[in-house]
Amino acid sequence: LVKTLVVIPARWKSTRLPGKPLAIIGDKPMIQHTWEKASQSLADNVIIATDDQRIFEAALNFGAKVMMTSEWGTGTERVIEVQSIMKYDFIINVQGDEPFIDPLDINTVIETVKLNSNSVATLKTNLSEEEYGDPNAVKIITNPNGSVAMFTRSSNYTPSEVVFKHIGIYGYSAYVLDRISEMVPTENSINNSLEQLTWMDHNIPIMSGFTTYRSLGIDTPADLERANNFYK
């Protein structure tokens, strides 16, 4: 039987918003909103992965499955540690600061990775005007078959290129995640601060599903205020 696991990596040490997973949106911590959304998806199991006791205890209190991991630099490394113990067929990495993600979008990633099990699956959406020139908005340029030709923070495109905004959710087969676990970050990936470029540099294709979801990733106190206004 093929089983799918959603892992939600959550760390305390955000440079711009320390303790971010426990920041309150409405009447709940951000991580709880993300977990509730993921729990409504088609995944067989959902687990929060953290290296912080405060997040661990909060997750237990609202009824989530949670695992303490080592201190890692990326969410992907946290996901790899969870998978090394849990051993699922497909693993979805949903970032803890996506409290408004639609469960249907998680389903899109699950379906995409099951159809393309030698690839990583992710999501793209339409870019807004102000995101074009914003280096924090990661852009995707896709091939006609939906696979990703390029990830970039740049705003230099030819008019013929169709550019989308990247939504940072990933789906992996156990086989692909195993391969990724053995990779050393490439220079290209380090220079652009985009870990997925390492995977592409090692010839792992990335397939992108489309969503209308306008990611409200929360990185700053201003983002948190906006999220609370959005939630009302």
Side-chain angles (χ1 to χ4, degrees):
L1 204 62
V2 174
K3 294 276 196 178
T4 304
L5 174 70
V6 169
V7 182
I8 306 172
R11 65 192 190 112
W12 189 270
K13 298 185 180 90
S14 162
T15 40
R16 291 176 288 179
L17 194 62
K20 177 162 76 167
L22 299 188
I24 299 296
I25 297 173
D27 54 357
K28 295 174 195 166
M30 184 189 314
I31 190 78
Q32 183 174 352
H33 287 285
T34 310
W35 171 77
E36 286 175 356
K37 290 287 178 26
S39 299
Q40 293 165 33
S41 75
L42 293 170
D44 298 289
N45 204 350
V46 179
I47 191 163
I48 293 168
T50 187
D51 57 14
D52 189 275
Q53 195 63 36
R54 291 160 288 191
I55 296 169
F56 183 85
E57 283 169 12
L60 287 180
N61 284 339
F62 59 73
K65 289 179 181 155
V66 56
M67 184 184 290
M68 280 295 267
T69 67
S70 307
E71 283 194 37
W72 294 108
T74 68
T76 308
E77 290 168 316
R78 222 175 280 290
V79 171
I80 288 165
E81 182 176 344
V82 171
Q83 168 63 3
S84 72
I85 297 160
M86 306 278 284
K87 305 286 188 207
Y88 273 70
D89 303 289
F90 292 97
I91 306 93
I92 313 298
N93 175 353
V94 175
Q95 297 185 11
D97 61 353
E98 290 284 2
F100 303 111
I101 193 150
D102 189 328
L104 295 176
D105 288 333
I106 299 174
N107 293 347
T108 297
V109 175
I110 293 171
E111 286 154 16
T112 303
V113 74
K114 283 183 174 179
L115 288 170
N116 305 276
S117 61
N118 288 327
S119 306
V120 172
T122 193
L123 288 177
K124 61 178 183 251
T125 190
N126 291 322
L127 259 183
S128 68
E129 284 296 316
E130 62 270 17
E131 285 165 343
Y132 259 95
D134 180 0
N136 292 317
V138 178
K139 290 85 175 174
I140 283 185
I141 295 169
T142 50
N143 297 312
N145 69 348
S147 68
V148 177
M150 191 163 104
F151 287 98
T152 179
R153 295 179 183 276
S154 159
S155 46
N156 303 328
Y157 321 107
T158 62
S160 65
E161 288 176 316
V162 182
V163 183
F164 297 94
K165 179 186 180 183
H166 182 223
I167 307 281
I169 169 173
Y170 295 107
Y172 323 86
S173 64
Y175 162 74
V176 165
L177 194 59
D178 203 39
R179 278 187 64 194
I180 287 172
S181 72
E182 293 169 359
M183 290 176 188
V184 175
T186 59
E187 201 173 321
N188 180 22
S189 155
I190 294 164
N191 292 343
N192 289 283
S193 297
L194 294 171
E195 61 172 337
Q196 62 270 35
L197 296 180
T198 292
W199 315 338
M200 291 179 75
D201 291 342
H202 285 88
N203 300 316
I204 292 183
I206 302 183
M207 298 298 293
S208 59
F210 182 79
T211 175
T212 55
Y213 170 64
R214 304 286 316 143
S215 170
L216 256 178
I218 298 161
D219 296 309
T220 63
D223 293 343
L224 184 61
E225 194 177 335
R226 195 174 77 235
N228 268 293
N229 292 334
F230 180 83
Y231 189 72
K232 280 170 189 166

